[in-house]
C-alpha cells in the first residue's frame, strides 16, 4: 500500500471514547499507515454546550472521508435516546450504513454476526395515543423491505463463501410470521446463487442458548436489527467481555464512508482515569484498516493484540504495549 493515504474522521465522543480512540490511532501510527485524521466535536458533551447533535453540514463533511472512527457517545446529563437517535441512528440512515458486522473469538473458534443496520424495529415506525392516561396505547413496528433484507443477506452469503461456507439465519419466524417469512424466503432465494454455502436456521431464543453453550456451531450469522443488537452484546460477553468487542457499520455499496467503533459505552464513571481497556477500539481500528485495503497491517494489528492479551495497565500503557508489539 506504498503511497496510499486515507482520510479518517474521528468522533471521540464522550467519556472514555477519546481515550480509547487515541490508542487506536497510536497503533495505526506504529504500523506506518499514512492517514490524515480530522476530529469532530460531537456527542453528549457537545450537546450540553450548545444543543448541537448532528446537522446536514456535519453529514456532508463526513461524506468526504474514507472512514469514520468513533469512540463512544452518551452522557449521564443527557436524556437517554437523544444522542442515540440524533447521532448514531442518524449516521446509519444518512450514510446508508446498512451492515453492522461484529467478529467474535471463543477459544480457538471465531464467528461473525452480520446484522441489518437501517431497518427493523429501529426504523422509528410507530406512535402513541392518549399518552399519560390510563388508556395509553404505544405501537412500535418493525420495517422490513425486500431491498434492505436482500442486500444484507447477500453480503452475509458473500462473506460466508470467503470463510467456511456456513451461514445461519437467526429470526423468530414462528411468531413474527410476516417479517420472518420475508427473511427466510430471501435467504432461500439468494442461496441459489451460492450453492457451496450450507444454510441453517435458528430461532433467536435458541441462538441465545447456543451462543453460551455451543458457539462453535456458528460461522456467519445473519439477522435483523433488533435481534442482532441483542445477540452481539451476548457474543461479546461469551468471547472475553465487551472490552474486546469491536464493530463495523458498513456502507458495503461504497457510496460513502463506513464507521468503526467499539461496542462498549462511554463509561462516564471511569472517564479520565485511564482505566478503560482500549482493545475493542484497537480491534475496530483493525477492521477499519481491512476495509480500507490495509490487509497486512490489519493482520499485524490482530497478531499484536493476541500477543499482548495478558498485558494489564492503564489505557495508554495497554495501547503502547500493542504498538510496541507491532
Amino acid at each position: 500500500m506504498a503511497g496510499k493515504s486515507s482520510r479518517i474522521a474521528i468522533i471521540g465522543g464522550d467519556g472514555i471514547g477519546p481515550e480509547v480512540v487515541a490508542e487506536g490511532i497510536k497503533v495505526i501510527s506504529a504500523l506506518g499507515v499514512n492517514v490524515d485524521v480530522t476530529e469532530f466535536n460531537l456527542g453528549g458533551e457537545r450537546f450540553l454546550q450548545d444543543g448541537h447533535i448532528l446537522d446536514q453540514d456535519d453529514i456532508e463533511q463526513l461524506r468526504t472521508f474514507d472512514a469514520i472512527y468513533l469512540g463512544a457517545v452518551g452522557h449521564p446529563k443527557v436524556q437517554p435516546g437523544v444522542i442515540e437517535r440524533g447521532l448514531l441512528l442518524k449516521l446509519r440512515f444518512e450514510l446508508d450504513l446498512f451492515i453492522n458486522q461484529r467478529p467474535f473469538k471463543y477459544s480457538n473458534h471465531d464467528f461473525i454476526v452480520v446484522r441489518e443496520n437501517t431497518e427493523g424495529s429501529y426504523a422509528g415506525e410507530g406512535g402513541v395515543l392518549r399518552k399519560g392516561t390510563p388508556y395509553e396505547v404505544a405501537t412500535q413496528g418493525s420495517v422490513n423491505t425486500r431491498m434492505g433484507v436482500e442486500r444484507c443477506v447477500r453480503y452475509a452469503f458473500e462473506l460466508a463463501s470467503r470463510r467456511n461456507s456456513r451461514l445461519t439465519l437467526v429470526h423468530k419466524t414462528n411468531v413474527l410470521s410476516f417479517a420472518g417469512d420475508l427473511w427466510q424466503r430471501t435467504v432461500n432465494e439468494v442461496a441459489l446463487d451460492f450453492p457451496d454455502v450450507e444454510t441453517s436456521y435458528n430461532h433467536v431464543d435458541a441462538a441465545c442458548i447456543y451462543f453460551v453453550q455451543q458457539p462453535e456451531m456458528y460461522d456467519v450469522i445473519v439477522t435483523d436489527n433488533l435481534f442482532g443488537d441483542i445477540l452481539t452484546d451476548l457474543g461479546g460477553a461469551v468471547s472475553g467481555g465487551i472490552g474486546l468487542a469491536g464493530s463495523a457499520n458498513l456502507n458495503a455499496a461504497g457510496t460513502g464512508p463506513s464507521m468503526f467503533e467499539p461496542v462498549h459505552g462511554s463509561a462516564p464513571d471511569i472517564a479520565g482515569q485511564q482505566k478503560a481497556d482500549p482493545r475493542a477500539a484497537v480491534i475496530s481500528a483493525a477492521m477499519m484498516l481491512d476495509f480500507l485495503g490495509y490487509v497486512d497491517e490489519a493482520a499485524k494489528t490482530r497478531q499484536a493484540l493476541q500477543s499482548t492479551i495478558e498485558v494489564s495497565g492503564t489505557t495508554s500503557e495497554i495501547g503502547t504495549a500493542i504498538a510496541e508489539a507491532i
Side-chain angles (χ1 to χ4, degrees), residues 164-215:
N164 300 305
S165 293
R166 290 191 293 119
L167 181 141
T168 305
L169 169 64
V170 172
H171 209 280
K172 191 69 175 173
T173 56
N174 58 337
V175 177
L176 304 178
S177 54
F178 302 120
D181 177 61
L182 173 57
W183 276 87
Q184 186 66 73
R185 281 188 293 107
T186 303
V187 167
N188 294 345
E189 292 170 23
V190 174
L192 298 176
D193 295 334
F194 297 86
D196 295 332
V197 176
E198 175 189 348
T199 62
S200 57
Y201 171 81
N202 287 153
H203 289 323
V204 64
D205 43 353
C208 288
I209 297 172
Y210 299 143
F211 261 49
V212 175
Q213 296 183 346
Q214 296 175 268

Side-chain angles (χ1 to χ4, degrees), residues 78-87 89:
V78 179
Q79 183 179 352
V82 172
I83 303 301
E84 290 84 351
R85 289 191 301 270
L87 179 61
L89 292 182

